[in-house]
């Protein structure tokens, strides 16, 4: 466990798309526990999936009958529909006690957190990436996110996140950090910071590398 579900930025050009959504996780069915929906306080059902590393935690330590604050990665299905990948849960008051008792962890080894509530509030998202499309008159914004490859054999493909808000067109191909809020099935821009233009990587080194291989 750490002191905040969203880690601090360690690089000015660090790509990411992560947020927190409070709701009840409802599995699709008994045979398909990892696919389902997050149901928020308004009754909105957001298509969701549990990532592998959080499945055991949810099965063993989390009551699915109550709402929780989930740590999620946003995705956009068909470039429109919001989809959430659940990567964790933020509930120190419950999880610390359970983990200490069931996993026999030393209390001193777990960071002290005074409250389950966060200053950013529910439904906050941190989006950092390249602005590849903006249409201010329609409040349409698309940010490209590049992922780090998990291993050297597989190349991590970039993905795009659709947002609602206004970003001037002159910031196309710039790296932007955005504070975003989920409203129902959309991600709305609250504010943003332009970090700088995206510099194109020289292709000469890639050509030389390919020739050597």
């Amino acid at each position: 466990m750490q002191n905040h579900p969203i880690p601090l930025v360690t690089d000015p050009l660090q790509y990411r798309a992560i947020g927190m959504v409070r709701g009840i996780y409802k599995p699709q069915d008994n045979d398909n526990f990892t696919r389902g929906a997050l149901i928020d306080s308004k009754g909105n059902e957001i298509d969701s999936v549990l990532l592998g590393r959080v499945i055991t935690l949810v099965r063993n330590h989390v009551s699915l009958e109550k709402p929780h604050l989930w740590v999620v990665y946003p995705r956009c299905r068909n470039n429109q529909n919001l989809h959430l990948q659940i990567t964790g849960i933020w509930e120190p008051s419950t999880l610390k006690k359970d983990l200490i008792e069931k996993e026999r962890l030393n209390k001193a080894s777990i960071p002290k957190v005074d409250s389950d509530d966060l200053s950013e509030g529910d439904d906050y998202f941190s989006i950092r990436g390249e602005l590849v499309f903006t249409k201010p008159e329609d409040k349409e914004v698309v940010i490209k996110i590049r992922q780090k490859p998990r291993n050297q054999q597989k190349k991590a493909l970039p993905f795009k996140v659709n947002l609602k808000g206004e970003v001037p067109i002159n910031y196309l191909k710039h790296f932007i950090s955005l504070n975003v809020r989920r409203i129902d099935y959309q991600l709305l821009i609250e504010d943003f910071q332009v970090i700088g233009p995206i510099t194109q990587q020289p292709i000469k080194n890639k050509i030389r590398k390919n020739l050597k291989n």
Side-chain angles (χ1 to χ4, degrees):
M1 295 179 65
Q2 54 189 18
N3 291 312
H4 198 284
I6 299 180
L8 294 174
V9 174
T10 57
D11 187 313
L13 298 180
Q14 178 179 328
Y15 289 84
R16 74 177 179 193
I18 186 172
M20 295 101 61
V21 173
R22 189 179 300 277
I24 296 175
Y25 177 70
K26 180 182 177 181
Q28 197 172 62
D29 52 54
N30 293 332
D31 298 327
N32 200 349
F33 181 79
T34 60
R35 297 194 65 86
L38 273 187
I39 306 174
D40 66 12
S41 59
K42 296 180 181 179
N44 295 314
E45 296 192 13
I46 309 168
D47 182 51
S48 304
V49 61
L50 292 175
L51 296 185
R53 55 191 170 186
V54 79
I55 295 174
T56 301
L57 177 66
V58 172
R59 284 187 184 276
N60 297 337
H61 300 281
V62 176
S63 170
L64 295 183
E65 298 177 356
K66 300 185 299 182
H68 303 280
L69 189 59
W70 304 92
V71 185
V72 299
Y73 298 145
R75 297 292 189 271
C76 295
R77 291 276 178 88
N78 303 321
N79 295 325
Q80 293 294 331
N81 299 329
L82 179 62
H83 169 77
L84 300 176
Q85 296 181 349
I86 300 174
T87 184
I89 182 173
W90 181 254
E91 199 168 289
S93 61
T94 300
L95 295 181
K96 283 203 300 183
K97 180 180 178 181
D98 286 351
L99 290 173
I100 290 172
E101 293 177 352
K102 296 182 181 181
E103 309 297 338
R104 298 181 180 178
L105 297 179
N106 187 337
K107 292 183 180 180
S109 66
I110 299 179
K112 181 181 178 182
V113 179
D114 296 327
S115 173
D116 292 345
D117 296 327
L118 298 168
S119 59
E120 296 89 350
D122 295 353
D123 296 303
Y124 168 79
F125 285 76
S126 173
I127 309 292
R128 297 173 57 86
E130 179 185 354
L131 179 66
V132 295
F133 178 84
T134 179
K135 196 174 182 180
E137 60 271 25
D138 293 334
K139 296 186 176 181
E140 296 180 1
V141 173
V142 179
I143 302 294
K144 179 190 285 186
I145 311 294
R146 297 187 183 277
Q147 304 179 83
K148 287 185 177 180
R150 295 183 179 179
N151 55 61
Q152 295 180 351
Q153 284 72 32
K154 293 185 178 180
K155 181 180 180 182
L157 297 176
F159 64 93
K160 297 176 182 178
V161 176
N162 295 340
L163 309 175
K164 298 295 289 185
E166 298 181 39
V167 179
I169 196 169
N170 54 297
Y171 292 132
L172 281 172
K173 296 187 178 180
H174 280 63
F175 190 93
I176 298 181
S177 175
L178 307 101
N179 292 318
V180 175
R181 187 76 52 183
R182 181 190 69 90
I183 303 296
D184 297 331
Y185 297 97
Q186 295 183 325
L187 299 178
L188 277 61
I189 299 172
E190 292 188 330
D191 56 67
F192 66 91
Q193 177 186 4
V194 179
I195 306 301
I198 297 290
T199 56
Q200 297 295 328
Q201 294 181 350
I203 62 173
K204 291 182 179 179
N205 292 336
K206 293 183 179 179
I207 295 175
R208 289 173 183 170
K209 184 177 180 181
N210 290 334
L211 290 174
K212 289 181 180 179
N213 294 336

